[in-house]
Amino acid sequence: MERELTRPQLVRWRTAVFAIFLASGLSIATWASRVPAIKIALDVDNIQIGLMLLGAGIASIVGLSLANVVLARFGARSGMLVAMLVFAAGVGIIGVGTDVLQNYLVVVAGLVLFGLGNGAVDVMMNVEGAAIEKQTGKTILPLFHAFFSFGTVIGAGVGAAAAGWGINVLIHTVVMMVVIAGIAFAAHANVPPREFTGDTAAAADPPHWRERLHTALSAWREPRTYALGVIMLGMAFAEGGANDWLALGMVEGHGADQALGALGLTVFSVSMTVVRVFGGPLVDRFGRVATLRVLSAASAGGLLLFILAPNLPLVFVGAALWGAGTSLGFPLGMSAAADDPAKAAARVSAAATIGYISFLCGPPILGFISENIGLLNTLYILVVLAIASGLASGAARPLAGSKVGAGAER
């Protein structure tokens, strides 16, 4: 039987997981904000930068796949600490490879650790966030994902300041490595042991870890996993497509200058973050399925407006709707995957893998297609995927006995 947390324990647990989400976003923005400086220091071209990103992406998928094994064997508390220290070390090694050794392969090694740790912690922090939802009976995973967005904003701001003040990549990344490691140890001290997190280890006679691993792999044989994957695929494709192509779409498709293109991406990001901050109460009121259907319609409508708008003000409106509509697909898919605490790690890992593959692989595919039909025409693919996410949203209906995300569906 699960042990109940006291109010102070729950608050410390929730705050720790907020900090872990923020640290993940912080690490990603630290790397992204210094890419121009790294490119100059290493004297590499865009193809080599792309290969770096590919290495980090592959490592992220490996981390996602290993996360449920780590959870089954060691638990989230220890697993998150190790994963955070791995990606913190990766951030520091990127700086050493850039400014001390000036070695491309060392930077790639840093990015592999960076991707591996972030991929693993992504599953584990979402499992913990879902467990907190079960304790509180409220939908708060969107707010956790908002803290990830806050981390990227802070990281980008620090990176811009470091570049503006002439601080080299080594000093910047080593400082951020220490900050992230500090967050990791502080969070570890405040995350309850496994017996509090609602998984099978809480039982008086918990199953052997090999049995839990078998349960982990069984998620890939469940149709609901793939239906949730469709929800997350469409939204992750739309989010990744915006990150890489929205600004360029405004410049090439609508004749905006580069500053307005960057502003369009900012509008998208702010809109997404705002809905993530306030989305939880909406889900608790109306339910996951209704919320996802409305947001998928908003995403598809925003994309169509962005593509077809006759003037820039309407393009910005389209970007805002695109961001709002895309905001909750990933966190609500994670929340739905974790409805059954005994199988949460396996299902979250499987669903996240589908989402991440689409997030990482989708934008390059869009780029290849756009060479033949034009960028704005390529975005119609995202419209179709947003509609598919809405059609699959019934898979996010809470399982019997789950109070989180039911809303009007109860």
Side-chain angles (χ1 to χ4, degrees):
M1 185 174 179
E2 293 180 25
R3 293 172 56 184
E4 290 295 327
L5 295 173
T6 65
R7 176 67 181 174
Q9 287 175 318
L10 181 58
V11 170
R12 289 198 299 271
W13 183 20
R14 186 178 60 196
T15 303
V17 178
F18 278 139
I20 293 169
F21 272 86
L22 186 140
S24 180
L26 193 63
S27 71
I28 290 170
T30 298
W31 148 256
S33 66
R34 300 316 300 266
V35 168
I38 292 169
K39 181 179 178 181
I40 292 172
L42 297 180
D43 190 25
V44 295
D45 57 24
N46 286 342
I47 293 176
Q48 290 168 297
I49 293 291
L51 291 174
M52 287 182 179
L53 293 171
L54 179 63
I58 292 172
S60 296
I61 294 170
V62 172
L64 286 167
S65 302
L66 291 177
N68 58 352
V69 180
V70 174
L71 282 167
R73 185 68 179 89
F74 302 106
R77 186 169 184 256
S78 298
M80 288 191 297
L81 173 63
V82 172
M84 291 180 73
L85 293 178
V86 167
F87 74 71
V91 170
I93 290 170
I94 289 170
V96 172
T98 300
D99 287 327
V100 178
L101 301 177
Q102 294 187 326
N103 187 296
Y104 177 81
L105 292 179
V106 173
V107 175
V108 170
L111 279 166
V112 167
L113 291 177
F114 164 86
L116 184 68
N118 263 305
V121 85
D122 190 275
V123 172
M124 291 185 274
M125 69 188 184
N126 276 285
V127 169
E128 287 294 281
I132 294 170
E133 287 190 331
K134 302 300 179 291
Q135 287 277 342
T136 62
K138 297 179 180 179
T139 301
I140 56 175
L141 263 179
L143 186 57
F144 283 121
H145 283 257
F147 269 78
F148 174 86
S149 298
F150 293 151
T152 63
V153 171
I154 294 169
V158 171
W165 295 336
I167 297 173
N168 67 21
V169 176
L170 175 66
I171 294 174
H172 178 198
T173 54
V174 168
V175 168
M176 297 314 295
M177 176 184 70
V178 172
V179 169
I180 292 167
I183 293 173
F185 284 110
H188 179 263
N190 289 285
V191 172
R194 280 182 63 93
E195 58 189 9
F196 288 128
T197 63
D199 57 34
T200 51
D205 186 22
H208 192 275
W209 71 269
R210 288 189 179 89
E211 185 178 338
R212 299 201 300 273
L213 177 57
H214 175 75
T215 299
L217 297 176
S218 69
W220 288 101
R221 296 194 293 269
E222 299 174 358
R224 185 172 183 260
T225 297
Y226 295 96
L228 292 174
V230 171
I231 296 172
M232 298 173 71
L233 181 148
M235 294 298 101
F237 227 110
E239 181 180 350
N243 289 338
D244 288 330
W245 301 113
L246 188 152
L248 190 61
M250 290 188 65
V251 173
E252 293 186 353
H254 293 289
D257 60 29
Q258 292 185 12
L260 285 176
L263 182 59
L265 181 58
T266 302
V267 168
F268 172 92
S269 300
V270 169
S271 177
M272 171 179 285
T273 303
V274 168
V275 176
R276 283 180 170 173
V277 169
F278 297 104
L282 291 175
V283 175
D284 288 333
R285 173 66 180 86
F286 300 105
R288 283 190 204 133
V289 176
T291 302
L292 285 170
R293 285 174 179 165
V294 170
L295 290 180
S296 68
S299 180
L303 276 157
L304 287 172
L305 185 58
F306 182 89
I307 296 166
L308 300 172
N311 56 61
L312 285 177
L314 286 177
V315 172
F316 280 107
V317 173
L321 286 172
W322 182 359
T326 303
S327 60
L328 299 186
F330 205 91
L332 292 186
M334 291 285 204
S335 183
D339 273 342
D340 180 355
K343 298 181 179 180
R347 289 170 174 167
V348 167
S349 176
T353 299
I354 296 171
Y356 264 84
I357 289 174
S358 62
F359 184 85
L360 294 168
C361 300
I365 292 172
L366 294 177
F368 176 78
I369 295 172
S370 70
E371 288 294 316
N372 297 291
I373 65 173
L375 185 51
L376 290 184
N377 286 332
T378 302
L379 296 181
Y380 284 113
I381 296 172
L382 301 184
V383 176
V384 174
L385 291 174
I387 293 171
S389 291
L391 294 174
S393 61
R397 184 170 284 105
L399 299 178
S402 177
K403 297 180 180 179
V404 179
E409 297 154 17
R410 279 195 284 259

